[in-house]
Amino acid sequence: MECVWVIILFLHWSLSGAQRFDLEGGGSVAAPGSDVTLPCSLKPRMSAVDMEVKWTRQDPGDKLVHHYKNKQDQTDKLDPSYINRTSLFIEKLQQGNTSLLLKKVQVSDGGLYRCRVDSDQWKDSVNVQLRIEATGGTPEISVLGTGVSGGVLLQCESRGWWPVPDLQWLNSEGAKLPAGVKESCEDVGGFYVRRSLTAHKSNTNTYICRVKLGEVKKEEQIDITDHLPKPDNTAAIAVSVTLILLSALVCVVVYFIRRDKLRKWLKEKQTADMCLKGEGEPRLHGVNFTDAQWKYVEHTLLTSEEVLEVFDLRKYDPSEECFLKLQKVVYACRKAQLSYCDLTEKSCDVLASVLRSNSRLRELDLSQNILWNSGVKKLCSGLESSDCKLEKLSLSNCSIREEGCAALCSALKKNPSHLRELNLDSNNPRDSGVKQLSDLLEDPHCKLEKLHLSYCMITKEGCDDLCSALKNNPSSHMRVLNLHNNKSVDSRLEKLSALLEYPHCKLEILDLTDCSITQEGCVALCSALKKNPSHLRELNLNHNKPGDSGVKQLSDLLEDPHCKLEKLDLSGCSITEQGCAALCSALKKNPAHLRELNLNNNKPGDSGVKQLSALLEDPHCTLEKLDLSSCSITEEGCAALCSALKKNPSSHLRELNLNNNKPGDSGVKQLSDLLEDQNYKLEKLELSKCSIREEGFDALCSALKKNPSHLRELNLNHNKPGDSGVKQLSALLEDPHCKLEKLDTLKCFSPLYSLSWCSITEEGCVALCSALKKNTSSHPRELNLDYNKSGLKTC
Ligand SMILES: *[C@@H]1O[C@H](CO)[C@@H](O)[C@H](O)[C@H]1NC(C)=O
């Protein structure tokens, strides 16, 4: 009988094993206007017809590009700029090919994409980079005429490049010639470039024009013999005289050449200086520097104290080319910020030798570069060196998988005593990679204090390994554990709870956002924390499902005088009136620690808000930040909050977020009364999407006029001030006592909403701008006027 079970188990295991797959991606290059395939396919080959395929754009933002599910393309939530431009190769899905066809490529499409495939049993994702590049035509050379000094004036031009290519004039031996300024402009289908040259008689009379973009070169040459001015006959007679004069001339020429060289260098130096001190960033993007200019830039950076503290490559040019030119700076700086720089293995080689060289480098941020396992392995040859004293390493979203993670861990095991913080967010270490990481954490020499593993698809097994390892290492230094968005960690949290109740566990920050934690898990977690409550300072449980009994346990924990929690995030946890009441009464019994409470997007109801008000009325309550956005707060709830705060003049509350509620006119009036009260020291107030109308604006502005000295930030987006409301705001901003620094207002008309949202006319906008201009002296100000009817974005 037992034998049969073993066989069934084996069959089950091998069947589900067969469903596992890896995704393979790659990179693509496309010209503007063309169609391109972004590669992504399953390995081993299996049908993806029944799977879910999601293509998203990683930078900027997280835009949905294409979505295939239930054997159909899904069109809702697609980013508008991709609609009707994408498709999968439906007939290829059968072979596991989930590549995306993107049509009519635009310049703005260039960037990082992510292909994600979910089957019932397995999922994986891979990044795919799309580069926009167009190769133009062979250059054309034309003769424009005879130059002043008897040379021939040539012009070389070429069309259809993207981005702007390099354009050089060369002599027949291939040496670069000093030529005119390179001119370029954007044309249909790419850039047009041209450059002129005054060519003189030479041995071969041949000149070459070369256009170059990356590895692509296009050349054209011209023989100028026929275009040279005819030699003058009388000149022959003068030859002897010329010879005599020549020696004298040589001296003069040498003098001038030297002077010209110096002048040229001074000019180059000036250009480099101008780029370095430029306003915009990246400052060195697209420059065409000589080696001497690069040396000069490097030298300048190496003498800047600021750069030696933090070298941020993105300020100069976020590219591997620039990194390689400026690599000496990395040897000398304390922190290297290299995220989003398109770095590859090549840079990892350089960084490894920096790390081996006993350099000053202590913090390295390589996040958002596609390094793959191979790049990380190169980096490891530096990390394992005893000369490497790195304290902080960020490798988030670097396409690292189990092999890369294993290499990283074994390198760190050889040199465990320096690294304090490791960020591996958004990689895919798989269970075996997490196992290696656990071995590292179990090592008593490991000094890691902060570990970030969000979006790593960690399973129950992985999470259990991590927790047992931490528990088995009583000298563990771990203080911050981030498991944000790992949806398959054990919903019951057995091992994590066992770790938390263990007296040696000194975790201070625990982030379990969006981990599919159930009521059972939350109860286990809280009862473990009750046994060892004195270390945790910050707990993020948002977007889980604690249920009423989970919230009840949490309340019991908060009530414990040994619990010193300062920050609690419970947004989107479906907390009801009952749950909110339990939390508040617990906090009333132990009010002296919590500083930040986030209840956004829950359902406290009027009675829950009343309980919260009672808490805020308590002079012992230390709450500084309270987020109640999207909590369906009514006039009644708002009135309760305000009157509670009015009764507690020593309230610590500095930031209040009431976005997306329904305070109504009377609620806004109550809030205004509160703002008018000198005792009350609110610094930041958010009231976006609260349906505030003219009356509400009047009340708020007149309150702020009477008590202008506390509020720094006010968010009034998506309301309806009308012209009179705008005038009130203008008058307020003109007041020299008003301390408002950021007025994120008046996004009262968004193109996404109907025209009736519009409420600021040109008149209103002009009034606001002139008010700001009259009072620029006292405080730096930010004013956001996006999306208003007048179209005046800036003043
Ligand atoms: C997937 O299909 C596309 C379109 O036919 C093709 O270009 C690509 O090479 C295929 N990929 C693989 C891995 O077969």
Side-chain angles (χ1 to χ4, degrees):
M1 187 63 199
E2 264 169 35
C3 202
V4 173
W5 275 114
V6 168
I7 290 171
I8 289 176
L9 268 175
F10 176 76
L11 276 177
H12 175 79
W13 174 81
S14 55
L15 277 176
S16 57
Q19 296 302 322
R20 296 186 174 204
F21 57 82
D22 275 325
L23 282 181
E24 282 195 330
S28 284
V29 179
S34 66
D35 298 350
V36 66
T37 303
L38 301 179
C40 177
S41 56
L42 276 63
K43 202 183 136 193
R45 270 188 180 202
M46 65 181 76
S47 168
V49 172
D50 295 315
M51 301 186 183
E52 179 181 0
V53 182
K54 230 176 178 177
W55 277 92
T56 49
R57 173 82 187 263
Q58 298 296 103
D59 59 337
D62 194 13
K63 299 179 183 165
L64 186 58
V65 173
H66 194 95
H67 188 192
Y68 169 91
K69 194 181 174 179
N70 301 333
K71 301 193 181 175
Q72 274 178 355
D73 289 336
Q74 309 287 329
T75 47
D76 50 332
K77 303 215 183 111
L78 284 192
D79 188 80
S81 65
Y82 289 95
I83 286 176
N84 291 335
R85 290 205 295 132
T86 58
S87 62
L88 298 181
F89 297 94
I90 295 297
E91 74 285 0
K92 296 277 178 80
L93 283 178
Q94 186 66 37
Q95 302 153 25
N97 184 336
T98 55
S99 305
L100 182 78
L101 177 67
L102 176 60
K103 286 177 242 169
K104 297 207 191 89
V105 170
Q106 299 159 6
V107 172
S108 56
D109 291 337
L112 194 61
Y113 290 75
R114 175 173 281 230
C115 167
R116 177 181 164 145
V117 178
D118 284 44
S119 75
D120 295 337
Q121 293 96 343
W122 195 249
K123 59 191 164 192
D124 193 18
S125 63
V126 71
N127 287 344
V128 177
Q129 184 84 34
L130 173 61
R131 247 181 332 137
I132 305 296
E133 222 172 89
T135 305
T138 308
E140 284 170 21
I141 300 177
S142 45
V143 179
L144 296 183
T146 312
V148 247
S149 51
V152 179
L153 191 58
L154 301 176
Q155 175 170 281
C156 176
E157 56 193 335
S158 182
R159 294 177 192 279
W161 295 86
W162 194 281
V164 181
D166 192 25
L167 171 58
Q168 293 288 356
W169 277 103
L170 314 170
N171 65 16
S172 54
E173 271 121 48
K176 283 183 194 170
L177 298 171
V181 183
K182 181 176 87 180
E183 298 166 76
S184 62
C185 65
E186 201 178 331
D187 198 358
V188 242
F191 279 104
Y192 164 79
V193 282
R194 72 171 181 208
R195 193 166 189 182
S196 63
L197 172 79
T198 308
H200 293 274
K201 188 170 161 44
S202 70
N203 292 345
T204 58
N205 279 343
T206 300
Y207 290 87
I208 302 169
C209 170
R210 174 187 291 167
V211 188
K212 186 165 175 255
L213 182 63
E215 300 300 315
V216 182
K217 266 186 217 168
K218 295 217 170 173
E219 291 184 352
E220 179 69 342
Q221 62 179 43
I222 187 170
D223 186 331
I224 58 164
T225 315
D226 292 344
H227 302 284
L228 283 170
K230 298 279 169 289
D232 195 313
N233 281 340
T234 54
I237 307 159
V239 165
S240 49
V241 183
T242 313
L243 275 176
I244 299 163
L245 289 175
L246 210 59
S247 50
L249 259 174
V250 165
C251 299
V252 178
V253 167
V254 166
Y255 166 76
F256 277 108
I257 286 176
R258 282 201 175 167
R259 200 187 63 171
D260 279 359
K261 262 197 176 163
L262 186 64
R263 278 197 184 159
K264 191 168 155 243
W265 164 240
L266 285 176
K267 208 166 163 200
E268 282 180 9
K269 180 169 161 302
Q270 201 182 8
T271 318
D273 267 334
M274 255 164 59
C275 288
L276 274 179
K277 291 189 186 120
E279 285 279 299
E281 285 176 1
R283 291 173 195 160
L284 303 182
H285 184 65
V287 297
N288 187 9
F289 279 177
T290 58
D291 285 347
Q293 279 173 309
W294 279 114
K295 277 252 141 43
Y296 174 73
V297 168
E298 182 186 276
H299 174 78
T300 313
L301 296 185
L302 282 170
T303 50
S304 152
E305 258 174 56
E306 189 193 334
V307 174
L308 293 182
E309 195 52 29
V310 182
F311 172 50
D312 187 348
L313 186 64
R314 298 168 308 180
K315 283 188 183 170
Y316 306 99
D317 184 18
S319 70
E320 184 149 71
E321 198 188 349
C322 183
F323 172 77
L324 295 175
K325 293 273 189 213
L326 299 177
Q327 49 178 282
K328 284 217 179 112
V329 184
V330 186
Y331 279 86
C333 69
R334 209 190 63 78
K335 173 175 178 182
Q337 172 53 265
L338 306 173
S339 60
Y340 287 104
C341 286
D342 282 337
L343 301 187
T344 67
E345 282 178 35
K346 231 192 216 174
S347 304
C348 291
D349 268 334
V350 173
L351 285 167
S353 69
V354 173
L355 293 173
R356 280 192 301 263
S357 71
N358 197 9
S359 68
R360 282 184 74 219
L361 198 65
R362 295 292 178 270
E363 294 184 25
L364 176 58
D365 187 351
L366 278 170
S367 52
Q368 311 286 347
N369 292 294
I370 307 180
L371 303 180
W372 302 114
N373 289 343
S374 51
V376 174
K377 280 188 199 159
K378 297 225 150 127
L379 196 65
C380 287
S381 75
L383 289 170
E384 71 185 31
S385 151
S386 56
D387 283 326
C388 166
K389 308 245 160 51
L390 207 63
E391 290 168 8
K392 201 170 156 182
L393 175 62
S394 179
L395 291 169
S396 98
N397 206 358
C398 288
S399 304
I400 303 173
R401 305 209 171 173
E402 37 199 335
E403 220 179 298
C405 188
L408 187 69
C409 294
S410 80
L412 289 173
K413 271 185 108 166
K414 287 185 202 154
N415 176 26
S417 52
H418 300 289
L419 204 70
R420 299 278 184 275
E421 188 170 345
L422 178 61
N423 187 335
L424 288 173
D425 289 347
S426 301
N427 287 296
N428 195 352
R430 299 266 164 92
D431 283 345
S432 81
V434 175
K435 183 89 192 51
Q436 297 286 339
L437 198 57
S438 306
D439 285 353
L440 172 66
L441 294 177
E442 203 169 328
D443 185 334
H445 299 104
C446 168
K447 295 264 165 35
L448 222 50
E449 291 169 10
K450 299 180 184 174
L451 180 60
H452 298 270
L453 291 170
S454 66
Y455 294 92
C456 281
M457 306 194 215
I458 294 178
T459 61
K460 168 172 163 35
E461 196 180 321
C463 183
D464 286 356
D465 279 344
L466 279 175
C467 294
S468 324
L470 287 170
K471 203 180 155 200
N472 292 343
N473 178 5
S475 58
S476 162
H477 292 69
M478 194 59 67
R479 297 290 176 271
V480 177
L481 183 58
N482 183 349
L483 292 171
H484 191 122
N485 203 308
N486 285 292
K487 291 198 202 258
S488 10
V489 307
D490 181 11
S491 59
R492 288 183 300 162
L493 302 179
E494 276 168 303
K495 284 279 192 304
L496 183 60
S497 303
L499 168 65
L500 289 171
E501 78 179 60
Y502 180 56
H504 291 291
C505 169
K506 303 216 165 59
L507 270 187
E508 288 167 13
I509 298 181
L510 179 60
D511 190 341
L512 293 170
T513 297
D514 208 356
C515 282
S516 311
I517 298 173
T518 58
Q519 183 152 313
E520 200 181 345
C522 191
V523 169
L525 185 79
C526 294
S527 53
L529 282 169
K530 269 180 87 176
K531 293 184 196 149
N532 177 22
S534 54
H535 301 291
L536 204 68
R537 295 288 177 272
E538 197 177 321
L539 180 59
N540 289 347
L541 284 174
N542 60 79
H543 294 92
N544 287 298
K545 299 262 165 302
D548 275 340
S549 67
V551 174
K552 177 81 189 52
Q553 284 293 330
L554 189 60
S555 307
D556 283 357
L557 170 66
L558 289 171
E559 191 175 325
D560 185 332
H562 297 105
C563 167
K564 305 240 163 52
L565 210 61
E566 289 169 9
K567 230 170 133 177
L568 178 61
D569 190 342
L570 293 171
S571 64
C573 281
S574 314
I575 296 176
T576 59
E577 300 196 13
Q578 212 180 343
C580 189
L583 281 174
C584 292
S585 77
L587 284 171
K588 270 188 101 170
K589 290 183 198 147
N590 178 25
H593 302 291
L594 204 69
R595 301 261 185 287
E596 276 188 56
L597 179 60
N598 190 343
L599 288 174
N600 124 36
N601 211 342
N602 284 296
K603 299 264 163 297
D606 276 339
S607 83
V609 175
K610 272 190 196 136
Q611 297 285 342
L612 263 172
S613 307
L615 173 65
L616 289 171
E617 195 175 326
D618 185 338
H620 300 103
C621 167
T622 50
L623 220 52
E624 288 166 13
K625 285 187 190 176
L626 178 60
D627 190 340
L628 293 173
S629 56
S630 304
C631 279
S632 312
I633 296 177
T634 60
E635 295 193 23
E636 201 181 332
C638 192
L641 276 175
C642 292
S643 76
L645 286 167
K646 263 194 130 166
K647 284 187 207 144
N648 179 11
S650 60
S651 162
H652 291 70
L653 202 70
R654 296 293 175 267
E655 293 185 17
L656 179 60
N657 187 337
L658 291 173
N659 287 341
N660 199 9
N661 284 299
K662 296 265 164 296
D665 282 340
S666 81
V668 176
K669 180 83 190 50
Q670 299 274 354
L671 269 171
S672 306
D673 285 354
L674 188 64
L675 287 175
E676 195 174 324
D677 188 337
Q678 297 276 354
N679 292 313
Y680 190 60
K681 303 208 172 56
L682 205 64
E683 288 169 8
K684 186 171 169 184
L685 177 61
E686 309 220 28
L687 292 171
S688 142
K689 284 199 187 163
C690 281
S691 312
I692 304 177
R693 295 178 300 175
E694 299 197 8
E695 297 98 283
F697 270 77
D698 285 356
L700 280 172
C701 290
S702 74
L704 285 173
K705 265 189 144 167
K706 287 185 199 144
N707 176 22
S709 50
H710 300 297
L711 207 69
R712 298 278 188 281
E713 278 185 42
L714 180 59
N715 183 346
L716 290 168
N717 276 336
H718 296 294
N719 287 300
K720 305 175 185 174
D723 270 347
S724 91
V726 175
K727 278 190 193 132
Q728 295 278 352
L729 271 174
S730 314
L732 178 65
L733 288 173
E734 269 182 54
D735 185 341
H737 301 292
C738 168
K739 291 261 184 358
L740 267 185
E741 284 161 13
K742 194 167 165 195
L743 181 60
D744 193 4
T745 57
L746 314 177
K747 196 185 276 179
C748 302
F749 166 60
S750 152
L752 298 176
Y753 294 98
S754 80
L755 280 171
S756 62
W757 278 74
C758 164
S759 43
I760 300 183
T761 61
E762 193 147 345
E763 194 189 343
C765 193
V766 169
L768 265 178
C769 292
S770 78
L772 269 181
K773 278 188 189 145
K774 275 188 216 161
N775 181 18
T776 48
S777 52
S778 41
H779 306 286
R781 294 231 163 108
E782 260 178 63
L783 176 66
N784 189 347
L785 282 169
D786 281 358
Y787 300 129
N788 278 299
K789 190 187 188 182
S790 62
L792 276 181
K793 278 198 173 182
T794 47
C795 296

